[in-house]
Amino acid sequence: MNKIKAYGADEQGANLKEMTIERRDLQPNDVQIKITYCGVCHSDIHQVDNDWNNSKYPVVPGHEIIGRVVAVGDDVKNYKKDDLVGVGCMVDSCQECGACEDDMEQFCEKGMTATYNGKNKHTGKNTYGGYSEMIVVREEFVLSVPNNLDEKATAPLLCAGITTYSPLAHWNVKKGDKVGVIGLGGLGHMGIKFAHAMGAHVVMITTSPGKAEDAKSLGADEVLISKDEEAMKKHQGSFDFLLNTVPVKHDINPYLQLLKRDSTMVMVGAIEPLEPMHGGNLIMGRKRVAGSLIGGIKETQEMLDFCGKHNIVSDIEMINMDNINDAYQRVKDSDVKYRFVIDMESLKN
Ligand code: NAP
Ligand code: ZN
């Protein structure tokens, strides 16, 4: 066991603080990674606050991990010392069920191991995430990061990136489609970039008029303020696809009215009960509401390679580890532009 420095919360809703955690010794198919950068996802906050009623404390968040390989186990085939690598929301799965065979480890029938607040198969203890100096991960869950991209700004691709890329790809968003991205935060800003790169006509649907200019420079063709009923009416029945990243309970009915006949809104944000949905909003127009969870490892690698090819990274604001509690408050206030990334060097000081 290696004792290392980390940052985590001791109890529900607590401020994060420095702590010592243990990492397992290197197993034959493990990769040991020195963490250089870690993105801050709204899910980190949900889990610190136990919003999903499954948090085990201490919670050491962080599943947008970028780092350099420092050591590999004897059976590791694809990585070597000094490689630039990423780790996302999963660090293990059974590797033999139907979902794993179909490259969708996120839906592993035996349950994937989450990067933090999951169960470490080797130690039986809680897993700890990327707000830490180092992590040990089974080779199959390590991603290769394109070298042409800004290293810091690639961290958010490991969760915000794949979570938005996967539904856009799965639902076949293509050139000319009118795509709405709901909520301009970490996920939403990546959603705009991907939908734009796929050739869609992108409409940013936001509660914050002050984000309109940014939305356009991120690649949105239009901005729709969701609180403006007149404007919402003008767009009624016109969208081919909606990607909903709103992180909390809300009323989806106004968004459903934006969809064309036979089109889909995919929910990735609110993992909790929603306001009641009016059946008529689905029945009239044969509309669909669907969900999506991150993406499999193969698809995550595809997404990273797509980003390398199209020069896509996240728009980030760098913070030091000890600014994390202020950053959490700003995410809660929808005041993030558009992803915080922690410089993990700052954990050493
Ligand atoms: P974020 O950075 O906080 O962005 C969320 C945005 O949603 C806000 O900036 C805000 O944008 C909008 N919003 C907030 N409250 C709202 C409300 N009450 N009504 C309407 N819009 C609201 O969060 P994130 O990191 O992108 O994560 C979004 C959600 O996705 C979180 O719940 C996270 O846990 C979840 N998530 C899911 C997956 C998955 O695999 N399904 C993966 C990662 C994260 P505007 O100011 O533009 O309105
Ligand atoms: Zn996340």
Short mmCIF file of all heavy atoms in Angstrom, two decimals, residues 75-102:
data_model
loop_
_atom_site.label_atom_id
_atom_site.label_comp_id
_atom_site.label_asym_id
_atom_site.label_seq_id
_atom_site.Cartn_x
_atom_site.Cartn_y
_atom_site.Cartn_z
N ASP A 75 2.19 -7.37 -16.76
CA ASP A 75 1.35 -7.80 -17.89
C ASP A 75 0.80 -6.65 -18.73
O ASP A 75 0.03 -6.88 -19.66
CB ASP A 75 0.16 -8.64 -17.38
CG ASP A 75 0.62 -9.92 -16.72
OD1 ASP A 75 1.80 -10.30 -16.94
OD2 ASP A 75 -0.17 -10.53 -15.98
N VAL A 76 1.16 -5.43 -18.37
CA VAL A 76 0.60 -4.28 -19.11
C VAL A 76 1.22 -4.23 -20.50
O VAL A 76 2.44 -4.32 -20.66
CB VAL A 76 0.86 -2.97 -18.33
CG1 VAL A 76 0.57 -1.74 -19.20
CG2 VAL A 76 0.01 -2.95 -17.07
N LYS A 77 0.32 -4.10 -21.51
CA LYS A 77 0.80 -4.18 -22.89
C LYS A 77 0.87 -2.81 -23.57
O LYS A 77 1.74 -2.57 -24.41
CB LYS A 77 -0.15 -5.06 -23.72
CG LYS A 77 -0.15 -6.51 -23.29
CD LYS A 77 -1.11 -7.33 -24.17
CE LYS A 77 -1.41 -8.67 -23.57
NZ LYS A 77 -2.31 -8.61 -22.41
N ASN A 78 -0.08 -1.95 -23.26
CA ASN A 78 -0.25 -0.76 -24.10
C ASN A 78 0.30 0.54 -23.54
O ASN A 78 0.21 1.57 -24.21
CB ASN A 78 -1.74 -0.58 -24.41
CG ASN A 78 -2.28 -1.75 -25.20
OD1 ASN A 78 -1.66 -2.18 -26.17
ND2 ASN A 78 -3.39 -2.31 -24.75
N TYR A 79 0.82 0.53 -22.33
CA TYR A 79 1.32 1.78 -21.74
C TYR A 79 2.72 1.58 -21.19
O TYR A 79 3.08 0.49 -20.76
CB TYR A 79 0.37 2.27 -20.63
CG TYR A 79 -0.99 2.61 -21.18
CD1 TYR A 79 -2.04 1.69 -21.09
CD2 TYR A 79 -1.21 3.80 -21.86
CE1 TYR A 79 -3.29 1.96 -21.64
CE2 TYR A 79 -2.45 4.09 -22.42
CZ TYR A 79 -3.48 3.17 -22.30
OH TYR A 79 -4.70 3.45 -22.86
N LYS A 80 3.48 2.69 -21.20
CA LYS A 80 4.83 2.65 -20.63
C LYS A 80 5.07 3.95 -19.87
O LYS A 80 4.30 4.91 -19.99
CB LYS A 80 5.86 2.45 -21.73
CG LYS A 80 5.79 3.50 -22.81
CD LYS A 80 6.85 3.29 -23.87
CE LYS A 80 6.96 4.44 -24.83
NZ LYS A 80 5.75 5.14 -25.22
N LYS A 81 6.14 3.95 -19.10
CA LYS A 81 6.50 5.11 -18.28
C LYS A 81 6.49 6.40 -19.14
O LYS A 81 6.90 6.37 -20.30
CB LYS A 81 7.89 4.89 -17.70
CG LYS A 81 8.24 5.81 -16.56
CD LYS A 81 9.53 5.37 -15.89
CE LYS A 81 9.96 6.34 -14.81
NZ LYS A 81 10.20 7.70 -15.24
N ASP A 82 5.97 7.49 -18.53
CA ASP A 82 5.91 8.83 -19.14
C ASP A 82 4.80 9.04 -20.16
O ASP A 82 4.62 10.15 -20.65
CB ASP A 82 7.25 9.23 -19.79
CG ASP A 82 8.34 9.38 -18.75
OD1 ASP A 82 8.01 9.74 -17.61
OD2 ASP A 82 9.51 9.08 -19.07
N ASP A 83 4.03 8.00 -20.51
CA ASP A 83 2.90 8.21 -21.42
C ASP A 83 1.90 9.19 -20.80
O ASP A 83 1.67 9.16 -19.58
CB ASP A 83 2.15 6.89 -21.69
CG ASP A 83 2.88 6.01 -22.69
OD1 ASP A 83 3.86 6.48 -23.30
OD2 ASP A 83 2.46 4.84 -22.85
N LEU A 84 1.31 10.03 -21.67
CA LEU A 84 0.25 10.95 -21.22
C LEU A 84 -1.07 10.19 -21.29
O LEU A 84 -1.47 9.73 -22.36
CB LEU A 84 0.20 12.17 -22.14
CG LEU A 84 -0.86 13.21 -21.84
CD1 LEU A 84 -0.64 13.86 -20.48
CD2 LEU A 84 -0.89 14.29 -22.93
N VAL A 85 -1.73 10.04 -20.15
CA VAL A 85 -2.94 9.20 -20.11
C VAL A 85 -4.08 9.89 -19.36
O VAL A 85 -3.88 10.87 -18.64
CB VAL A 85 -2.65 7.83 -19.43
CG1 VAL A 85 -1.71 6.99 -20.28
CG2 VAL A 85 -2.13 8.02 -18.01
N GLY A 86 -5.27 9.32 -19.54
CA GLY A 86 -6.45 9.82 -18.85
C GLY A 86 -7.20 8.69 -18.17
O GLY A 86 -7.09 7.53 -18.56
N VAL A 87 -7.94 9.06 -17.13
CA VAL A 87 -8.85 8.12 -16.46
C VAL A 87 -10.16 8.86 -16.25
O VAL A 87 -10.15 10.02 -15.81
CB VAL A 87 -8.28 7.65 -15.10
CG1 VAL A 87 -9.27 6.71 -14.40
CG2 VAL A 87 -6.92 6.97 -15.27
N GLY A 88 -11.26 8.20 -16.60
CA GLY A 88 -12.56 8.84 -16.46
C GLY A 88 -13.33 8.33 -15.26
O GLY A 88 -12.77 8.16 -14.17
N CYS A 89 -14.61 8.03 -15.48
CA CYS A 89 -15.51 7.74 -14.34
C CYS A 89 -15.46 6.29 -13.87
O CYS A 89 -16.06 5.96 -12.85
CB CYS A 89 -16.94 8.07 -14.74
SG CYS A 89 -17.12 9.77 -15.27
N MET A 90 -14.77 5.41 -14.62
CA MET A 90 -14.75 3.98 -14.24
C MET A 90 -13.31 3.51 -14.14
O MET A 90 -12.46 3.94 -14.93
CB MET A 90 -15.40 3.11 -15.32
CG MET A 90 -16.79 3.49 -15.69
SD MET A 90 -17.42 2.38 -16.99
CE MET A 90 -16.74 3.09 -18.47
N VAL A 91 -13.05 2.57 -13.20
CA VAL A 91 -11.72 1.99 -13.10
C VAL A 91 -11.73 0.46 -13.20
O VAL A 91 -10.67 -0.16 -13.20
CB VAL A 91 -10.99 2.43 -11.80
CG1 VAL A 91 -10.56 3.88 -11.90
CG2 VAL A 91 -11.85 2.18 -10.57
N ASP A 92 -12.93 -0.14 -13.29
CA ASP A 92 -12.98 -1.60 -13.41
C ASP A 92 -14.40 -2.01 -13.79
O ASP A 92 -15.35 -1.23 -13.64
CB ASP A 92 -12.59 -2.27 -12.08
CG ASP A 92 -11.89 -3.61 -12.29
OD1 ASP A 92 -12.05 -4.19 -13.38
OD2 ASP A 92 -11.20 -4.05 -11.36
N SER A 93 -14.52 -3.26 -14.32
CA SER A 93 -15.83 -3.87 -14.57
C SER A 93 -15.56 -5.36 -14.73
O SER A 93 -14.40 -5.78 -14.78
CB SER A 93 -16.48 -3.30 -15.83
OG SER A 93 -15.84 -3.82 -16.98
N CYS A 94 -16.63 -6.18 -14.86
CA CYS A 94 -16.41 -7.63 -14.88
C CYS A 94 -15.71 -8.11 -16.13
O CYS A 94 -15.06 -9.15 -16.14
CB CYS A 94 -17.74 -8.37 -14.68
SG CYS A 94 -18.71 -8.56 -16.20
N GLN A 95 -15.83 -7.36 -17.22
CA GLN A 95 -15.18 -7.68 -18.51
C GLN A 95 -15.75 -8.93 -19.21
O GLN A 95 -15.17 -9.40 -20.17
CB GLN A 95 -13.66 -7.87 -18.34
CG GLN A 95 -12.93 -6.66 -17.79
CD GLN A 95 -12.69 -5.58 -18.83
OE1 GLN A 95 -11.97 -5.77 -19.80
NE2 GLN A 95 -13.34 -4.44 -18.64
N GLU A 96 -16.85 -9.50 -18.70
CA GLU A 96 -17.36 -10.70 -19.37
C GLU A 96 -18.86 -10.72 -19.59
O GLU A 96 -19.36 -11.61 -20.27
CB GLU A 96 -16.89 -11.97 -18.63
CG GLU A 96 -17.14 -11.92 -17.14
CD GLU A 96 -16.51 -13.09 -16.38
OE1 GLU A 96 -15.38 -13.47 -16.73
OE2 GLU A 96 -17.17 -13.58 -15.45
N CYS A 97 -19.61 -9.79 -19.04
CA CYS A 97 -21.06 -9.79 -19.25
C CYS A 97 -21.38 -9.23 -20.64
O CYS A 97 -20.50 -8.76 -21.35
CB CYS A 97 -21.75 -8.96 -18.16
SG CYS A 97 -21.48 -7.18 -18.34
N GLY A 98 -22.66 -9.26 -20.99
CA GLY A 98 -23.07 -8.77 -22.31
C GLY A 98 -22.68 -7.31 -22.52
O GLY A 98 -22.19 -6.94 -23.59
N ALA A 99 -22.89 -6.49 -21.51
CA ALA A 99 -22.58 -5.06 -21.66
C ALA A 99 -21.09 -4.85 -21.87
O ALA A 99 -20.67 -4.09 -22.76
CB ALA A 99 -23.06 -4.28 -20.43
N CYS A 100 -20.27 -5.54 -21.07
CA CYS A 100 -18.82 -5.39 -21.22
C CYS A 100 -18.37 -5.91 -22.58
O CYS A 100 -17.53 -5.30 -23.24
CB CYS A 100 -18.07 -6.11 -20.09
SG CYS A 100 -18.21 -5.28 -18.49
N GLU A 101 -18.96 -7.05 -23.01
CA GLU A 101 -18.60 -7.58 -24.33
C GLU A 101 -18.96 -6.61 -25.44
O GLU A 101 -18.30 -6.54 -26.46
CB GLU A 101 -19.31 -8.92 -24.57
CG GLU A 101 -18.50 -10.07 -24.04
CD GLU A 101 -19.15 -11.41 -24.30
OE1 GLU A 101 -20.21 -11.45 -24.96
OE2 GLU A 101 -18.59 -12.40 -23.81
N ASP A 102 -20.04 -5.84 -25.22
CA ASP A 102 -20.47 -4.86 -26.22
C ASP A 102 -19.78 -3.51 -26.03
O ASP A 102 -20.27 -2.49 -26.54
CB ASP A 102 -21.99 -4.66 -26.15
CG ASP A 102 -22.74 -5.87 -26.69
OD1 ASP A 102 -22.10 -6.72 -27.35
OD2 ASP A 102 -23.96 -5.98 -26.44
#
